[in-house]
Amino acid sequence: MSVIEALIFGIVQGIAEFLPISSTAHIVIAQLLFGYSFPGLSFEVILHLGSIVAVVLYFRSDIIHLINAFFRFIAQRHPEDRPEFFFAIYIVIATLITGFLGLLLEDFLAESIKTPIFVASSLAITGFFLILIERYHKIGHRTEKEMNLLDAVIVGLAQTLAVLPGISRSGSTLIAALYAGLNRKTAVRYSFLLSIPVILGSSVLAIDDLNTGALASIGTMQLIVSFIASFITSWIGIVWLINFLNKGKLIYFAIYCFLLAIIVITMLDPSTIIQAE
C-alpha cells in the first residue's frame, strides 16, 4: 500500500463513517479501485480508531457532562440531572440491544447476502427511508427530557441492521430516532454518542484478529497517515453533518445512496464477498 492509498482509505473511512451513506460500500469500492485487499481486520481497526478518537474528542464535554450527571443523580438525586441520567441509560440500552442481536445475526448471516446486489439493495433501502422520513413523516419536537425506553429500543433495533452489508449505522439510528419523534438536534446527538460504544465495542472484538505481521506489511508511515486522515476527516464529517442537518435536507443523502447503489452494481464483481461494517 502506498502512502497516497493509505491517505485515501483514511479519508474515505472518516467521511463515510458518520454520514448516512454506508462506510462499508465506500471502503469496498476504494479497495476495488486500487486493486487492494486488506489483510484481515487489522487495518480496518486502525481506520476505525481514528474515527473513535475524533468523536470522543469532539463530544468530550458532552461525555464528561453525561458521566457527571449520571453519578450525581445516583448519589444526590438532583432533579436537573434526571434527563441526562436517563439519556445515558438509553444509550446503554440501545448499545446492549445492538450488541446482543448483532452478534446473534452475524452467526446466521449467509455469504449469499454479502454480495454487490445485496449491498446496492441496502443502499437503496437506506435512501428510500431517508426520503420517507424527510418527506412523509413529520419531524418531532421531543428532546432528551421527553425520551423514553421505547425510543432506545427502536433505535437499538434499527442500529442492529447495520450488521447487514450496505446499511449505514448512522443512517439507521438517525432515521429511527426521527421516526420515534425526536427533534433533529436530539436525534443527531443521540446517534453520535451511541456510535462511541458501538464502534469501540466492534473494534475491541476485532482485536483478536490484529496481526502485527499484516500491519507491518502495510508500513508504519501508511498506518500513521491513514489514522491521521481518518481522524481529521471524521472530525470534519461530524461538524459538517451537525451543521447540515440543522438547515439541510436528508433527501440529498438519499440521492447519493441511490447513485452509489448504481455504482456498486456496475463496478463490483458479482462474486465479490463483502464484509459488514
Side-chain angles (χ1 to χ4, degrees), residues 146-162:
E146 290 82 40
M147 280 189 70
N148 55 50
L149 178 61
L150 182 59
D151 298 326
V153 172
I154 290 174
V155 175
L157 290 173
Q159 186 173 235
T160 303
L161 295 176

Side-chain angles (χ1 to χ4, degrees), residues 20-21 123 126-136 139 174-175 178 184 240-241 244-245 247-259:
I21 54 176
L123 285 166
T126 298
F128 170 78
F129 277 103
L130 285 170
I131 292 176
L132 189 66
I133 204 73
E134 180 72 48
R135 296 290 187 182
Y136 303 105
I139 302 298
L174 186 60
I175 291 170
L178 292 173
R184 286 177 183 260
W240 184 82
L241 182 62
F244 181 85
L245 289 180
K247 51 188 176 183
K249 299 291 185 180
L250 291 172
I251 193 170
Y252 295 123
F253 292 113
I255 294 172
Y256 182 84
C257 284
F258 292 137
L259 292 175

Side-chain angles (χ1 to χ4, degrees), residues 38-231:
F38 293 158
L41 297 176
S42 302
F43 185 56
E44 293 184 60
V45 171
I46 300 298
L47 292 175
H48 280 92
L49 184 59
S51 296
I52 277 292
V53 173
V55 73
V56 169
L57 287 179
Y58 185 87
F59 286 99
R60 61 189 181 280
S61 297
D62 213 345
I63 295 171
I64 293 173
H65 171 69
L66 267 179
I67 294 174
N68 288 337
F70 179 86
F71 288 106
R72 192 163 53 234
F73 183 77
I74 292 176
Q76 303 173 12
R77 298 288 176 174
H78 286 167
E80 62 270 21
D81 293 325
R82 190 175 189 278
E84 295 294 76
F85 170 81
F86 281 101
F87 188 74
I89 291 293
Y90 297 146
I91 289 176
V92 173
I93 290 174
T95 300
L96 291 176
I97 291 174
T98 298
F100 175 75
L101 294 180
L103 290 174
L104 197 63
L105 282 174
E106 279 190 328
D107 292 336
F108 290 97
L109 285 179
E111 294 298 311
S112 59
I113 72 169
K114 300 178 182 180
T115 60
I117 187 64
F118 188 89
V119 172
S121 299
S122 299
L123 285 166
I125 290 173
T126 298
F128 170 78
F129 277 103
L130 285 170
I131 292 176
L132 189 66
I133 204 73
E134 180 72 48
R135 296 290 187 182
Y136 303 105
H137 180 76
K138 185 178 180 181
I139 302 298
H141 300 285
R142 293 193 297 123
T143 66
E144 291 89 342
K145 294 181 180 180
E146 290 82 40
M147 280 189 70
N148 55 50
L149 178 61
L150 182 59
D151 298 326
V153 172
I154 290 174
V155 175
L157 290 173
Q159 186 173 235
T160 303
L161 295 176
V163 73
L164 301 175
I167 294 293
S168 165
R169 189 214 63 82
S170 58
S172 60
T173 55
L174 186 60
I175 291 170
L178 292 173
Y179 173 80
L182 302 180
N183 63 25
R184 286 177 183 260
K185 182 178 179 180
T186 303
V188 171
R189 182 187 181 223
Y190 189 49
S191 176
F192 274 121
L193 291 177
L194 192 56
S195 72
I196 297 173
V198 171
I199 300 176
L200 187 59
S202 62
S203 297
V204 169
L205 290 175
I207 286 180
D208 288 341
D209 295 310
L210 279 177
N211 186 316
T212 54
L215 291 177
S217 69
I218 294 173
T220 303
M221 179 58 69
Q222 287 84 341
L223 291 174
I224 293 174
V225 168
S226 60
F227 171 82
I228 294 175
S230 175
F231 168 76

